[in-house]
Amino acid sequence: GAGVSQSPSNKVTEKGKDVELRCDPISGHTALYWYRQSLGQGLEFLIYFQGNSAPDKSGLPSDRFSAERTGGSVSTLTIQRTQQEDSAVYLCASSLARMNTEAFFGQGTRLTVV
Amino acid sequence: GENVEQHPSTLSVQEGDSAVIKCTYSDSASNYFPWYKQELGKRPQLIIDIRSNVGEKKDQRIAVTLNKTAKHFSLHITETQPEDSAVYFCAARRGNRDDKIIFGKGTRLHILP
């Protein structure tokens, strides 16, 4: 079966433009995470969706960042008015609803703001 | 909220020697502790995990230990090989399914020939 799929793989955008990053989780996975990884750095938590619960948005760095998850499946991370410091790899992960189960990562979207 | 500290940030060991990476967590309610390996240019992948009802788990050359009293857990890699070179992330999660996984900042492991 397919794993977590993210698109696009690479995105170059001009400073000030808006971008949308897409994540298709593994079918049946109700938990979905977004993380940001700057060059050579760790996994910075951004947002977490779990079923019909209100998303945990505590990691979003500013109000320029937002995310939604439609129909409990596909998720879109939107960054408005992009800045150069937004340049990073954005990773999506999904897992089953059961507690303490493995989270599977997508290949990431490398965002470059020029 | 949960905070996970990971040390060291970089570790170099001779091929064949052992490597140890240590993590501490802040939330005593955390009860799931996975470890992920990220090779250069690739996605993180789970290599081993441990739940709070056990103190140690082993899978071939990899082992993880957990001390809940000290809120400390460690990854041990024995007989290191060149393919062990990667970045390793520890993580912690509480038992409530509405809780997120929080990662440490990672350890870059270099296996020296």
Side-chain angles (χ1 to χ4, degrees):
Chain A
V4 178
S5 178
Q6 291 187 245
S7 60
S9 299
N10 286 282
K11 176 71 177 179
V12 180
T13 189
E14 291 181 351
K15 178 181 174 181
K17 299 284 189 182
D18 297 352
V19 295
E20 287 189 351
L21 312 180
R22 177 187 169 103
C23 173
D24 279 285
I26 293 172
S27 178
H29 282 195
T30 61
L32 188 147
Y33 305 81
W34 282 98
Y35 292 90
R36 178 169 70 176
Q37 187 172 34
S38 301
L39 186 63
Q41 299 300 308
L43 300 169
E44 178 189 3
F45 167 76
L46 297 178
I47 188 168
Y48 170 53
F49 296 90
Q50 172 55 279
N52 295 322
S53 301
D56 182 337
K57 305 179 181 180
S58 60
L60 295 178
S62 76
D63 58 9
R64 296 187 296 106
F65 288 73
S66 64
E68 63 177 23
R69 189 178 186 192
T70 55
S73 181
V74 171
S75 177
T76 302
L77 177 68
T78 301
I79 309 173
Q80 296 178 311
R81 304 181 302 281
T82 52
Q83 304 295 313
Q84 287 187 327
E85 59 263 29
D86 299 335
S87 296
V89 175
Y90 289 81
L91 288 161
C92 174
S94 72
S95 70
L96 290 168
R98 295 197 306 271
M99 293 185 298
N100 302 336
T101 57
E102 178 180 358
F104 294 85
F105 281 85
Q107 81 281 9
T109 293
R110 181 176 298 279
L111 175 65
T112 303
V113 182
V114 298
Chain B
E2 175 66 277
N3 183 49
V4 178
E5 298 284 342
Q6 183 170 349
H7 301 280
S9 57
T10 304
L11 178 62
S12 297
V13 300
Q14 291 293 139
E15 182 178 348
D17 288 350
S18 295
V20 180
I21 301 170
K22 300 181 179 182
C23 290
T24 59
Y25 61 99
S26 61
D27 191 337
S28 57
S30 290
N31 64 2
Y32 176 61
F33 307 93
W35 286 86
Y36 283 76
K37 175 183 180 182
Q38 186 178 32
E39 297 178 357
L40 189 63
K42 296 189 177 180
R43 71 192 76 187
Q45 292 191 302
L46 182 76
I47 55 171
I48 195 167
D49 56 14
I50 190 167
R51 292 163 177 76
S52 60
N53 57 341
V54 298
E56 183 173 0
K57 183 177 179 180
K58 189 173 182 179
D59 182 4
Q60 299 182 345
R61 297 186 296 108
I62 294 173
V64 58
T65 58
L66 172 65
N67 182 330
K68 284 213 72 178
T69 302
K71 290 189 281 189
H72 172 277
F73 57 116
S74 300
L75 178 71
H76 305 253
I77 306 174
T78 58
E79 301 172 13
T80 52
Q81 300 171 4
E83 55 265 35
D84 295 330
S85 292
V87 178
Y88 292 81
F89 294 97
C90 63
R93 186 187 186 192
R94 297 196 302 179
N96 185 331
R97 73 174 216 170
D98 288 330
D99 287 320
K100 55 193 176 285
I101 301 174
I102 296 298
F103 286 86
K105 293 191 179 299
T107 295
R108 184 171 298 277
L109 176 62
H110 299 275
I111 305 302
L112 305 173

